[in-house]
Amino acid sequence: MKKCLINVEGGLGKNIMLTSILRELKEQGGYDELYVISPYHDVFKACSVVTDAFQPGLGTLYQELVLDEECDVLWKEPYSNQKFIKKQCHLFDAWAEEFGITLPADAETYVPLLDNIEKEYPHLRKIADEKMDGWNHNFCLVQFTGGQSPLAPQRDQQGNPVPYQNAQEAIKRNYHKGEQVVQRLKEKWPGTTIVHFALPNEPSIEGAVKIEVPYLTYRLLAAEAKEIVCIDSSLQHLATGVNDNMTVIWGETRPEHFGYACNRNVCAKNVLNSQPYFKPLGVSPSIVRMPEPEEVVIRPEEGENE
């Protein structure tokens, strides 16, 4: 019996993205069983092509697999792929190249495979239903920060506050636009509850509510949301494939590298001095104009300019 053990690191979004191509890896590799080591092992337990998943550091659970002569151990890092660093391919293509497989369809057409959530975690359905009942099943989801703590103010040599100068924090600099997006959603969908996907210590959005639920619950919520507006972060990956009315706002990162063709992708304008995806380069000097709220939320009477 041919097996494969994959070690994956990084954040929640990156881990969810990997589920999108695991079926191809299993079929092309001729594997009978797939196993994954991940800080987000629950993501892979919710993926039907994965036999089992483990937390890092619990070596006694997967040592036998590592030693098994019939088990391929894959520890590949797509961020180190040369094409990806130079922004020449999608992250899926970078992973595929590192795994030694080919993707028969365009990379952007792949979507996360999280089809075993209710089987593995039945309590999440109860949590989701209770929340949706409280909102009369009339709600939208939004995310405007990337899962990081709010930044301390930047200051000049005299100690005076100065604006942030890098595109990575553009959404934080333009948080008022998030509030305007929420307002437009409320006008478009009267009586809706706007649910703000954010960490407890991140800024709140006026007119939206925060909830504390296990993050995989958002996959179940997304399937019934009226509309979803988010940035290139966790909610995009949790919701893609179960909701056809999602808009993703892009700053310096781009949908052709991290996104999905099934979503409506709205990109920042005037990206200047864009640098490769190579963390050792440090903070990007790019200057961007984030999309305006009216570009993000389109009211029915307005239509959409092609």
Side-chain angles (χ1 to χ4, degrees), residues 8 34 53 66 112 118 136 183 215 217 264-265 272 280 287 292:
V8 57
L34 283 185
V66 176
E118 294 190 60
N136 295 316
Q183 183 58 38
Y215 53 79
T217 310
R264 178 174 175 265
N265 296 298
L272 304 177
I287 300 173
E292 296 300 322

Side-chain angles (χ1 to χ4, degrees), residues 21-273:
I21 64 169
L22 287 182
R23 192 184 302 279
E24 294 292 350
L25 174 62
K26 186 173 184 179
E27 292 177 357
Q28 294 184 38
Y31 297 117
D32 300 294
E33 296 179 349
L34 283 185
Y35 298 88
V36 179
I37 304 169
S38 166
Y40 298 97
H41 64 289
D42 47 349
V43 165
F44 296 96
K45 285 180 177 290
C47 177
S48 62
V49 300
V50 175
T51 304
D52 203 356
F54 314 101
Q55 294 184 44
L58 301 179
T60 55
L61 296 181
Y62 46 81
Q63 181 172 322
E64 286 189 14
L65 289 170
V66 176
L67 297 174
D68 190 336
E69 292 294 332
E70 295 186 351
C71 182
D72 290 341
V73 179
L74 302 182
W75 187 358
K76 305 293 184 179
E77 180 47 72
Y79 289 162
S80 66
N81 180 275
Q82 293 299 299
K83 292 179 183 176
F84 182 77
I85 288 174
K86 300 178 190 301
K87 297 186 173 180
Q88 297 172 352
C89 72
H90 196 285
L91 190 68
F92 292 150
D93 290 317
W95 243 317
E97 184 172 289
E98 297 301 314
F99 286 149
I101 63 173
T102 57
L103 299 182
D106 291 340
E108 290 177 70
T109 64
Y110 286 84
V111 298
L113 182 63
L114 300 171
D115 53 339
N116 265 2
I117 289 179
E118 294 190 60
K119 177 181 177 182
E120 291 291 328
Y121 311 107
H123 65 289
L124 297 186
R125 168 50 63 189
K126 181 180 179 181
I127 293 173
D129 287 344
E130 288 177 351
K131 292 295 183 183
M132 291 189 290
D133 287 345
W135 306 324
N136 295 316
H137 290 255
N138 187 18
F139 66 99
C140 298
L141 301 177
V142 299
Q143 182 186 16
F144 299 113
T145 49
Q148 300 176 8
S149 299
L151 295 182
Q154 294 182 348
R155 299 183 181 276
D156 60 22
Q157 292 181 346
Q158 287 72 44
N160 300 311
V162 296
Y164 292 109
Q165 296 298 320
N166 69 85
Q168 299 292 350
E169 303 302 334
I171 289 291
K172 293 185 175 69
R173 296 202 311 276
N174 293 281
Y175 221 72
H176 64 286
K177 291 185 179 179
E179 294 180 346
Q180 293 170 28
V181 166
V182 167
Q183 183 58 38
R184 286 182 67 85
L185 285 171
K186 284 179 169 289
E187 294 169 359
K188 181 178 179 179
W189 303 99
T192 55
T193 297
I194 310 299
V195 182
H196 182 201
F197 182 101
L199 296 176
N201 63 340
E202 290 182 319
S204 297
I205 287 283
E206 184 175 350
V209 299
K210 284 185 184 179
I211 60 173
E212 293 189 37
V213 296
Y215 53 79
L216 288 176
T217 310
Y218 276 94
R219 181 78 169 182
L220 306 179
L221 295 175
E224 297 195 36
K226 297 286 188 182
E227 187 168 347
I228 300 172
V229 176
C230 59
I231 61 171
D232 172 26
S233 195
S234 303
L235 184 56
Q236 174 196 200
H237 306 293
L238 283 165
T240 291
V242 295
N243 191 301
D244 295 329
N245 194 16
M246 178 158 64
T247 297
V248 184
I249 305 168
W250 297 84
E252 185 177 342
T253 59
R254 281 294 186 259
E256 59 265 30
H257 306 132
F258 291 100
Y260 307 89
C262 59
N263 297 330
R264 178 174 175 265
N265 296 298
V266 180
C267 297
K269 307 297 191 300
N270 303 330
V271 178
L272 304 177
N273 197 23

